[in-house]
Amino acid sequence: MSRVLPASVLPALFGASLLLAGPPAIARPLADGGVTAQEVAEVLQAKGYQAKIDKDREGDPKIQSSTDGVSYEIYFYGCHKGPRCSSIQFSTAFHVDGGMTFERINAWNRSSRFGRAYLDDEKDPYVEMDLDVEHGFTTEAVDNNIDTWDAVLPAFMKVVDCARHPGGDSCKSGN
């Protein structure tokens, strides 16, 4: 037998659930024209992740981080020698002994909305996720996209069969 709560109880339960969940995170708007590596690193660190800021071959910023033992980089594009960059890309590669097939990578690309994959010359898989941040972004949007990337990685690891070999010799992450 199911019980129905009186309508007068529902507002009190809803209010109590909000108190338990805590206050919502306050989104801080970022300056128009993109994001800086420091802003992205601060959001990563607030979520408990490491964030090492470095430079890529062209001198643009990049961040090295990891989640669940998977190393990845965040590359910054459209920086025009300034601190604000108009787009960023989350990226990692896996070395898989014997490589992967194009069919498996194509199946991933067909079935996945977030993260695109490709194979290098040795048929090792890469997965990347791009963000256009040129016309306004918030710290909350950066946070949400980090969560999306955190969901992409384990799903992709299943495709490359890393779930059985995390950090093992037959499947290593990193660019």
Side-chain angles (χ1 to χ4, degrees), residues 121-165:
D121 292 340
E122 297 173 0
K123 295 189 179 171
D124 285 329
Y126 281 69
V127 64
E128 297 174 341
M129 185 178 85
D130 293 299
L131 303 174
D132 179 8
V133 296
E134 182 175 15
H135 298 292
F137 224 57
T138 65
T139 54
E140 183 179 39
V142 172
D143 185 284
N144 289 338
N145 280 286
I146 292 167
D147 289 346
T148 300
W149 179 246
D150 283 350
V152 166
L153 285 179
F156 189 71
M157 287 175 66
K158 288 178 184 174
V159 170
V160 297
D161 203 20
C162 290
R164 290 189 295 146
H165 315 288

Side-chain angles (χ1 to χ4, degrees), residues 23-164:
I26 297 173
R28 178 172 54 94
L30 302 175
D32 198 23
V35 298
T36 67
Q38 186 61 42
E39 290 166 339
V40 174
E42 287 171 4
V43 174
L44 280 164
Q45 291 166 343
K47 293 177 76 59
Y49 296 110
Q50 67 172 353
K52 180 183 173 207
I53 299 174
D54 203 354
K55 299 267 183 195
D56 67 14
R57 288 183 219 129
E58 288 78 34
D60 289 326
K62 80 173 183 179
I63 297 175
Q64 296 170 317
S65 190
S66 65
T67 184
D68 293 327
V70 178
S71 299
Y72 65 88
E73 282 78 32
I74 302 172
Y75 295 98
F76 292 74
Y77 297 95
C79 305
H80 308 292
K81 305 291 182 205
R84 301 204 89 65
C85 304
S86 61
S87 64
I88 61 176
Q89 179 185 76
F90 293 78
S91 177
T92 195
F94 294 89
H95 170 72
V96 176
D97 288 343
M100 286 190 61
T101 65
F102 290 110
E103 291 80 14
R104 285 182 76 182
I105 289 298
N106 288 340
W108 163 267
N109 286 327
R110 272 192 309 274
S111 65
S112 301
R113 275 189 70 199
F114 300 100
R116 74 173 178 288
Y118 61 93
L119 301 177
D120 68 7
D121 292 340
E122 297 173 0
K123 295 189 179 171
D124 285 329
Y126 281 69
V127 64
E128 297 174 341
M129 185 178 85
D130 293 299
L131 303 174
D132 179 8
V133 296
E134 182 175 15
H135 298 292
F137 224 57
T138 65
T139 54
E140 183 179 39
V142 172
D143 185 284
N144 289 338
N145 280 286
I146 292 167
D147 289 346
T148 300
W149 179 246
D150 283 350
V152 166
L153 285 179
F156 189 71
M157 287 175 66
K158 288 178 184 174
V159 170
V160 297
D161 203 20
C162 290
R164 290 189 295 146

